[in-house]
Amino acid sequence: MTNTITIDGKAVPFEEGQTIMEAATAAGVYIPHLCHHPDYTPYGSCKLCTVKVNGRVCSACTFPAAEGQDVLNNTKDLNDDRKLITQMLFVEGNHFCPSCEKTGNCQLQAVAYHLNMLDDHFPLFYPHRKVDASHPDVMIDHNRCIFCTLCVRASQQHDGKDVFAISGRGINKHLIVNAESGLLKDTDIEATDRAAHVCPTGAILIKRTGYQVPIGQRIYDHHEIDEVSLLTEQQHGE
Amino acid sequence: MANKIRIATTSLAGCFGCHMSFLDLDERLLQLAELVEFDRSPITDIEHCTNCDIGLIEGGVCNSENVHTLREFRLNCKILVAVGACAINGGLPAMRNFIPLEECLSEAYLDGIGVENPQIPSDIELPLLLDKVRPIHEVVKIDYYLPGCPPSADVFWKFLTDLQEGREPELDYGLVHYD
Ligand code: SF4
Ligand code: SF4
Ligand code: FES
């Protein structure tokens, strides 16, 4: 007996314990996402992966696949909602892409391109956020953090460290580091850590590497994120 | 020439990069000249808008004059377009939003390296600076957005030819860039 759900009418097999996102990725179906990464425990904060399961709105990255689910994913309504969510992510931080080292390689930007987001829709917050350039090799630009916790999870679950955490609530939410001084230089992070590379945005950067690939020749300048994401994430295994 | 599309353009808190990119239409400008005529624009020296079909706005608003200009465009243009990163999200000029205005002025006109005859400009002819640089959709209704820093000539071309041929303007993946 096979376990099967349907996503936009297509039959998608799943294994017991898989989320809708995992089943979809294995079957080559892209569901937009930012805080999901196949190597780490699901977190479910960005809501880009919003789908409709039997008419009910769910996050595909946290929702377990179960027999008989009829999932809507790539519909105009859901993509319109996702675009609004992405616009919110843009206006609540400071995203000046022309002056960001990550431009062209940034997943937040790539999702926005994929959703054909041409404007920010909402008034901009222009929040005051800091840059922590204290560490010799790694820097944090808090202006671009979307609180996805991927750095938190990668540090704990892969690097065996505990460099990052999220503190505060609502509009005061912010990324902190595990050092009394509050500075990255006083943590045990190294440029080779997974946590230093996992950030989907330009919030965590490796110093002196930003312009090794010229703007215009970067990943999402030529490939859409649905294609890139499926290619890379299918290799990560279940 | 009664049926030509009438276009007005302006640069508010921008660098004229979007206008330069528009001129990158190169030989397509000749084709364009058959279809459109320019109203108020840096390329005509007409000072005020009359009734226009399309207004192209480069840059966000950083001073009182920008706000008046933007409102004049909105009143006179059937279709108002935010062109480029600065019009859409404030862009580079908005990076002053994190520094108090007074500090910006002192750095530029009093304490900065190489400043001679330090004084903050206060001529009555100069428009007052706004406390923060804002994108134009926060001031008037915007009908279309052309992202990019600057948007490429192809973006302008696609947009104008879509409109001219009666299609809803669309930018496909290759034409959408924020950098
Ligand atoms: S993090 Fe991404 S979206 Fe934000 S400024 Fe950098 S490239 Fe743009
Ligand atoms: S720094 Fe990057 S990885 Fe960490 S929470 Fe912010 S956006 Fe996510
Ligand atoms: S990917 Fe599911 S909530 Fe972020």
PDB file of all heavy atoms in Angstrom, chain A residues 8 32 48 50-52 71-85 114-116, chain B residues 168 170:
ATOM      1  N   ASP A   8      -1.487  20.058  -6.181  1.00  0.00           N
ATOM      2  CA  ASP A   8      -2.021  20.653  -7.416  1.00  0.00           C
ATOM      3  C   ASP A   8      -2.445  19.562  -8.405  1.00  0.00           C
ATOM      4  O   ASP A   8      -2.157  19.641  -9.609  1.00  0.00           O
ATOM      5  CB  ASP A   8      -0.977  21.588  -8.069  1.00  0.00           C
ATOM      6  CG  ASP A   8      -0.642  22.783  -7.186  1.00  0.00           C
ATOM      7  OD1 ASP A   8      -1.508  23.213  -6.405  1.00  0.00           O
ATOM      8  OD2 ASP A   8       0.502  23.279  -7.275  1.00  0.00           O
ATOM      9  N   PRO A  32       7.699  27.311  -2.394  1.00  0.00           N
ATOM     10  CA  PRO A  32       8.568  28.411  -1.953  1.00  0.00           C
ATOM     11  C   PRO A  32       8.839  28.340  -0.451  1.00  0.00           C
ATOM     12  O   PRO A  32       7.953  27.954   0.326  1.00  0.00           O
ATOM     13  CB  PRO A  32       7.749  29.664  -2.299  1.00  0.00           C
ATOM     14  CG  PRO A  32       6.874  29.235  -3.423  1.00  0.00           C
ATOM     15  CD  PRO A  32       6.527  27.799  -3.135  1.00  0.00           C
ATOM     16  N   LEU A  48       6.446  31.430   3.930  1.00  0.00           N
ATOM     17  CA  LEU A  48       6.501  31.407   2.471  1.00  0.00           C
ATOM     18  C   LEU A  48       5.928  30.100   1.933  1.00  0.00           C
ATOM     19  O   LEU A  48       5.459  30.017   0.798  1.00  0.00           O
ATOM     20  CB  LEU A  48       7.965  31.526   2.016  1.00  0.00           C
ATOM     21  CG  LEU A  48       8.402  32.824   1.365  1.00  0.00           C
ATOM     22  CD1 LEU A  48       7.622  33.086   0.103  1.00  0.00           C
ATOM     23  CD2 LEU A  48       8.236  33.983   2.316  1.00  0.00           C
ATOM     24  N   THR A  50       3.373  28.527   2.786  1.00  0.00           N
ATOM     25  CA  THR A  50       1.939  28.404   3.003  1.00  0.00           C
ATOM     26  C   THR A  50       1.258  27.663   1.846  1.00  0.00           C
ATOM     27  O   THR A  50       1.412  28.048   0.687  1.00  0.00           O
ATOM     28  CB  THR A  50       1.316  29.809   3.165  1.00  0.00           C
ATOM     29  OG1 THR A  50       1.894  30.409   4.326  1.00  0.00           O
ATOM     30  CG2 THR A  50      -0.194  29.733   3.310  1.00  0.00           C
ATOM     31  N   VAL A  51       0.556  26.581   2.194  1.00  0.00           N
ATOM     32  CA  VAL A  51      -0.212  25.810   1.201  1.00  0.00           C
ATOM     33  C   VAL A  51      -1.613  25.597   1.778  1.00  0.00           C
ATOM     34  O   VAL A  51      -1.854  25.882   2.953  1.00  0.00           O
ATOM     35  CB  VAL A  51       0.439  24.432   0.916  1.00  0.00           C
ATOM     36  CG1 VAL A  51       1.744  24.588   0.163  1.00  0.00           C
ATOM     37  CG2 VAL A  51       0.660  23.635   2.204  1.00  0.00           C
ATOM     38  N   LYS A  52      -2.512  25.083   0.945  1.00  0.00           N
ATOM     39  CA  LYS A  52      -3.834  24.720   1.458  1.00  0.00           C
ATOM     40  C   LYS A  52      -3.960  23.206   1.465  1.00  0.00           C
ATOM     41  O   LYS A  52      -3.784  22.559   0.433  1.00  0.00           O
ATOM     42  CB  LYS A  52      -4.927  25.337   0.591  1.00  0.00           C
ATOM     43  CG  LYS A  52      -5.294  26.718   1.067  1.00  0.00           C
ATOM     44  CD  LYS A  52      -6.613  27.169   0.513  1.00  0.00           C
ATOM     45  CE  LYS A  52      -7.025  28.476   1.188  1.00  0.00           C
ATOM     46  NZ  LYS A  52      -8.145  29.091   0.487  1.00  0.00           N
ATOM     47  N   VAL A  71      -3.476  18.876  -1.602  1.00  0.00           N
ATOM     48  CA  VAL A  71      -2.709  20.090  -1.305  1.00  0.00           C
ATOM     49  C   VAL A  71      -2.740  21.049  -2.496  1.00  0.00           C
ATOM     50  O   VAL A  71      -2.507  20.638  -3.635  1.00  0.00           O
ATOM     51  CB  VAL A  71      -1.239  19.739  -0.966  1.00  0.00           C
ATOM     52  CG1 VAL A  71      -0.431  20.994  -0.659  1.00  0.00           C
ATOM     53  CG2 VAL A  71      -1.177  18.753   0.198  1.00  0.00           C
ATOM     54  N   LEU A  72      -3.039  22.316  -2.222  1.00  0.00           N
ATOM     55  CA  LEU A  72      -2.899  23.350  -3.252  1.00  0.00           C
ATOM     56  C   LEU A  72      -1.613  24.106  -2.978  1.00  0.00           C
ATOM     57  O   LEU A  72      -1.349  24.520  -1.845  1.00  0.00           O
ATOM     58  CB  LEU A  72      -4.085  24.324  -3.210  1.00  0.00           C
ATOM     59  CG  LEU A  72      -5.439  23.761  -3.636  1.00  0.00           C
ATOM     60  CD1 LEU A  72      -6.507  24.843  -3.545  1.00  0.00           C
ATOM     61  CD2 LEU A  72      -5.369  23.200  -5.059  1.00  0.00           C
ATOM     62  N   ASN A  73      -0.793  24.288  -3.994  1.00  0.00           N
ATOM     63  CA  ASN A  73       0.504  24.950  -3.799  1.00  0.00           C
ATOM     64  C   ASN A  73       0.713  26.093  -4.776  1.00  0.00           C
ATOM     65  O   ASN A  73       0.756  27.249  -4.391  1.00  0.00           O
ATOM     66  CB  ASN A  73       1.620  23.905  -3.936  1.00  0.00           C
ATOM     67  CG  ASN A  73       2.984  24.542  -4.051  1.00  0.00           C
ATOM     68  OD1 ASN A  73       3.277  25.500  -3.348  1.00  0.00           O
ATOM     69  ND2 ASN A  73       3.810  24.033  -4.957  1.00  0.00           N
ATOM     70  N   ASN A  74       0.823  25.754  -6.050  1.00  0.00           N
ATOM     71  CA  ASN A  74       1.182  26.775  -7.030  1.00  0.00           C
ATOM     72  C   ASN A  74      -0.074  27.418  -7.630  1.00  0.00           C
ATOM     73  O   ASN A  74      -0.344  27.288  -8.809  1.00  0.00           O
ATOM     74  CB  ASN A  74       2.056  26.122  -8.113  1.00  0.00           C
ATOM     75  CG  ASN A  74       2.714  27.155  -9.006  1.00  0.00           C
ATOM     76  OD1 ASN A  74       2.768  28.341  -8.673  1.00  0.00           O
ATOM     77  ND2 ASN A  74       3.190  26.715 -10.161  1.00  0.00           N
ATOM     78  N   THR A  75      -0.839  28.126  -6.781  1.00  0.00           N
ATOM     79  CA  THR A  75      -2.051  28.783  -7.276  1.00  0.00           C
ATOM     80  C   THR A  75      -1.849  30.289  -7.204  1.00  0.00           C
ATOM     81  O   THR A  75      -1.004  30.770  -6.449  1.00  0.00           O
ATOM     82  CB  THR A  75      -3.281  28.432  -6.413  1.00  0.00           C
ATOM     83  OG1 THR A  75      -3.134  29.051  -5.124  1.00  0.00           O
ATOM     84  CG2 THR A  75      -3.421  26.924  -6.228  1.00  0.00           C
ATOM     85  N   LYS A  76      -2.657  31.016  -7.963  1.00  0.00           N
ATOM     86  CA  LYS A  76      -2.502  32.464  -7.987  1.00  0.00           C
ATOM     87  C   LYS A  76      -2.740  33.060  -6.595  1.00  0.00           C
ATOM     88  O   LYS A  76      -1.969  33.893  -6.123  1.00  0.00           O
ATOM     89  CB  LYS A  76      -3.469  33.085  -9.001  1.00  0.00           C
ATOM     90  CG  LYS A  76      -3.281  34.589  -9.086  1.00  0.00           C
ATOM     91  CD  LYS A  76      -4.099  35.250 -10.151  1.00  0.00           C
ATOM     92  CE  LYS A  76      -3.800  36.747 -10.222  1.00  0.00           C
ATOM     93  NZ  LYS A  76      -3.848  37.448  -8.928  1.00  0.00           N
ATOM     94  N   ASP A  77      -3.779  32.600  -5.920  1.00  0.00           N
ATOM     95  CA  ASP A  77      -4.087  33.131  -4.591  1.00  0.00           C
ATOM     96  C   ASP A  77      -2.932  32.922  -3.617  1.00  0.00           C
ATOM     97  O   ASP A  77      -2.542  33.841  -2.899  1.00  0.00           O
ATOM     98  CB  ASP A  77      -5.333  32.446  -4.010  1.00  0.00           C
ATOM     99  CG  ASP A  77      -6.600  33.034  -4.596  1.00  0.00           C
ATOM    100  OD1 ASP A  77      -6.486  33.982  -5.409  1.00  0.00           O
ATOM    101  OD2 ASP A  77      -7.694  32.544  -4.253  1.00  0.00           O
ATOM    102  N   LEU A  78      -2.391  31.705  -3.587  1.00  0.00           N
ATOM    103  CA  LEU A  78      -1.300  31.432  -2.646  1.00  0.00           C
ATOM    104  C   LEU A  78      -0.057  32.231  -3.008  1.00  0.00           C
ATOM    105  O   LEU A  78       0.627  32.761  -2.137  1.00  0.00           O
ATOM    106  CB  LEU A  78      -0.996  29.930  -2.603  1.00  0.00           C
ATOM    107  CG  LEU A  78      -2.023  29.096  -1.819  1.00  0.00           C
ATOM    108  CD1 LEU A  78      -1.854  27.610  -2.098  1.00  0.00           C
ATOM    109  CD2 LEU A  78      -1.902  29.373  -0.321  1.00  0.00           C
ATOM    110  N   ASN A  79       0.222  32.335  -4.307  1.00  0.00           N
ATOM    111  CA  ASN A  79       1.399  33.102  -4.696  1.00  0.00           C
ATOM    112  C   ASN A  79       1.215  34.600  -4.418  1.00  0.00           C
ATOM    113  O   ASN A  79       2.181  35.290  -4.085  1.00  0.00           O
ATOM    114  CB  ASN A  79       1.765  32.843  -6.160  1.00  0.00           C
ATOM    115  CG  ASN A  79       2.416  31.479  -6.329  1.00  0.00           C
ATOM    116  OD1 ASN A  79       3.099  30.987  -5.416  1.00  0.00           O
ATOM    117  ND2 ASN A  79       2.210  30.844  -7.478  1.00  0.00           N
ATOM    118  N   ASP A  80      -0.021  35.087  -4.526  1.00  0.00           N
ATOM    119  CA  ASP A  80      -0.284  36.484  -4.157  1.00  0.00           C
ATOM    120  C   ASP A  80      -0.038  36.690  -2.662  1.00  0.00           C
ATOM    121  O   ASP A  80       0.559  37.682  -2.243  1.00  0.00           O
ATOM    122  CB  ASP A  80      -1.732  36.876  -4.494  1.00  0.00           C
ATOM    123  CG  ASP A  80      -1.932  37.109  -5.987  1.00  0.00           C
ATOM    124  OD1 ASP A  80      -0.906  37.174  -6.717  1.00  0.00           O
ATOM    125  OD2 ASP A  80      -3.091  37.214  -6.432  1.00  0.00           O
ATOM    126  N   ASP A  81      -0.498  35.741  -1.848  1.00  0.00           N
ATOM    127  CA  ASP A  81      -0.242  35.825  -0.398  1.00  0.00           C
ATOM    128  C   ASP A  81       1.257  35.778  -0.115  1.00  0.00           C
ATOM    129  O   ASP A  81       1.776  36.528   0.715  1.00  0.00           O
ATOM    130  CB  ASP A  81      -0.921  34.665   0.348  1.00  0.00           C
ATOM    131  CG  ASP A  81      -2.429  34.839   0.404  1.00  0.00           C
ATOM    132  OD1 ASP A  81      -2.901  35.953   0.113  1.00  0.00           O
ATOM    133  OD2 ASP A  81      -3.126  33.855   0.729  1.00  0.00           O
ATOM    134  N   ARG A  82       1.936  34.883  -0.814  1.00  0.00           N
ATOM    135  CA  ARG A  82       3.391  34.758  -0.591  1.00  0.00           C
ATOM    136  C   ARG A  82       4.105  36.044  -0.978  1.00  0.00           C
ATOM    137  O   ARG A  82       5.086  36.437  -0.345  1.00  0.00           O
ATOM    138  CB  ARG A  82       3.942  33.592  -1.412  1.00  0.00           C
ATOM    139  CG  ARG A  82       3.493  32.238  -0.904  1.00  0.00           C
ATOM    140  CD  ARG A  82       3.861  31.155  -1.891  1.00  0.00           C
ATOM    141  NE  ARG A  82       3.417  29.846  -1.419  1.00  0.00           N
ATOM    142  CZ  ARG A  82       3.030  28.868  -2.211  1.00  0.00           C
ATOM    143  NH1 ARG A  82       3.028  29.033  -3.526  1.00  0.00           N
ATOM    144  NH2 ARG A  82       2.651  27.709  -1.711  1.00  0.00           N
ATOM    145  N   LYS A  83       3.604  36.684  -2.028  1.00  0.00           N
ATOM    146  CA  LYS A  83       4.237  37.952  -2.428  1.00  0.00           C
ATOM    147  C   LYS A  83       4.067  38.999  -1.324  1.00  0.00           C
ATOM    148  O   LYS A  83       5.002  39.705  -0.965  1.00  0.00           O
ATOM    149  CB  LYS A  83       3.633  38.454  -3.739  1.00  0.00           C
ATOM    150  CG  LYS A  83       4.452  39.574  -4.371  1.00  0.00           C
ATOM    151  CD  LYS A  83       3.700  40.347  -5.422  1.00  0.00           C
ATOM    152  CE  LYS A  83       3.547  39.572  -6.709  1.00  0.00           C
ATOM    153  NZ  LYS A  83       2.950  40.397  -7.787  1.00  0.00           N
ATOM    154  N   LEU A  84       2.868  39.058  -0.748  1.00  0.00           N
ATOM    155  CA  LEU A  84       2.636  40.006   0.355  1.00  0.00           C
ATOM    156  C   LEU A  84       3.543  39.698   1.549  1.00  0.00           C
ATOM    157  O   LEU A  84       4.095  40.603   2.174  1.00  0.00           O
ATOM    158  CB  LEU A  84       1.165  39.957   0.801  1.00  0.00           C
ATOM    159  CG  LEU A  84       0.170  40.709  -0.090  1.00  0.00           C
ATOM    160  CD1 LEU A  84      -1.257  40.443   0.373  1.00  0.00           C
ATOM    161  CD2 LEU A  84       0.446  42.209  -0.070  1.00  0.00           C
ATOM    162  N   ILE A  85       3.703  38.412   1.840  1.00  0.00           N
ATOM    163  CA  ILE A  85       4.578  38.011   2.952  1.00  0.00           C
ATOM    164  C   ILE A  85       6.018  38.456   2.662  1.00  0.00           C
ATOM    165  O   ILE A  85       6.710  38.992   3.532  1.00  0.00           O
ATOM    166  CB  ILE A  85       4.509  36.483   3.155  1.00  0.00           C
ATOM    167  CG1 ILE A  85       3.135  36.077   3.702  1.00  0.00           C
ATOM    168  CG2 ILE A  85       5.631  36.004   4.081  1.00  0.00           C
ATOM    169  CD1 ILE A  85       2.858  34.581   3.636  1.00  0.00           C
ATOM    170  N   HIS A 114      11.058  35.337  -8.090  1.00  0.00           N
ATOM    171  CA  HIS A 114      10.221  34.211  -8.507  1.00  0.00           C
ATOM    172  C   HIS A 114       8.736  34.582  -8.434  1.00  0.00           C
ATOM    173  O   HIS A 114       7.933  34.164  -9.275  1.00  0.00           O
ATOM    174  CB  HIS A 114      10.517  33.009  -7.607  1.00  0.00           C
ATOM    175  CG  HIS A 114       9.646  31.819  -7.861  1.00  0.00           C
ATOM    176  ND1 HIS A 114       9.798  31.015  -8.974  1.00  0.00           N
ATOM    177  CD2 HIS A 114       8.608  31.303  -7.160  1.00  0.00           C
ATOM    178  CE1 HIS A 114       8.893  30.050  -8.932  1.00  0.00           C
ATOM    179  NE2 HIS A 114       8.163  30.198  -7.844  1.00  0.00           N
ATOM    180  N   LEU A 115       8.381  35.385  -7.434  1.00  0.00           N
ATOM    181  CA  LEU A 115       6.982  35.781  -7.261  1.00  0.00           C
ATOM    182  C   LEU A 115       6.651  37.046  -8.056  1.00  0.00           C
ATOM    183  O   LEU A 115       5.568  37.598  -7.924  1.00  0.00           O
ATOM    184  CB  LEU A 115       6.680  35.996  -5.776  1.00  0.00           C
ATOM    185  CG  LEU A 115       6.815  34.738  -4.897  1.00  0.00           C
ATOM    186  CD1 LEU A 115       6.795  35.111  -3.415  1.00  0.00           C
ATOM    187  CD2 LEU A 115       5.706  33.734  -5.207  1.00  0.00           C
ATOM    188  N   ASN A 116       7.605  37.492  -8.870  1.00  0.00           N
ATOM    189  CA  ASN A 116       7.440  38.701  -9.683  1.00  0.00           C
ATOM    190  C   ASN A 116       7.064  39.915  -8.818  1.00  0.00           C
ATOM    191  O   ASN A 116       6.196  40.714  -9.158  1.00  0.00           O
ATOM    192  CB  ASN A 116       6.383  38.471 -10.790  1.00  0.00           C
ATOM    193  CG  ASN A 116       6.562  39.423 -11.961  1.00  0.00           C
ATOM    194  OD1 ASN A 116       5.684  40.225 -12.271  1.00  0.00           O
ATOM    195  ND2 ASN A 116       7.711  39.353 -12.614  1.00  0.00           N
TER     196      ASN A 116
ATOM    197  N   GLU B 168      -1.335  44.576 -20.918  1.00  0.00           N
ATOM    198  CA  GLU B 168      -0.982  44.845 -19.531  1.00  0.00           C
ATOM    199  C   GLU B 168       0.536  44.655 -19.408  1.00  0.00           C
ATOM    200  O   GLU B 168       1.049  43.582 -19.739  1.00  0.00           O
ATOM    201  CB  GLU B 168      -1.727  43.855 -18.621  1.00  0.00           C
ATOM    202  CG  GLU B 168      -1.480  44.030 -17.139  1.00  0.00           C
ATOM    203  CD  GLU B 168      -2.006  45.349 -16.560  1.00  0.00           C
ATOM    204  OE1 GLU B 168      -2.882  45.970 -17.177  1.00  0.00           O
ATOM    205  OE2 GLU B 168      -1.490  45.740 -15.498  1.00  0.00           O
ATOM    206  N   GLU B 170       4.089  43.596 -18.405  1.00  0.00           N
ATOM    207  CA  GLU B 170       4.606  42.497 -17.577  1.00  0.00           C
ATOM    208  C   GLU B 170       6.107  42.416 -17.753  1.00  0.00           C
ATOM    209  O   GLU B 170       6.616  42.588 -18.852  1.00  0.00           O
ATOM    210  CB  GLU B 170       3.989  41.164 -18.025  1.00  0.00           C
ATOM    211  CG  GLU B 170       2.673  40.868 -17.351  1.00  0.00           C
ATOM    212  CD  GLU B 170       2.046  39.580 -17.851  1.00  0.00           C
ATOM    213  OE1 GLU B 170       2.793  38.712 -18.383  1.00  0.00           O
ATOM    214  OE2 GLU B 170       0.817  39.457 -17.725  1.00  0.00           O
TER     215      GLU B 170
END
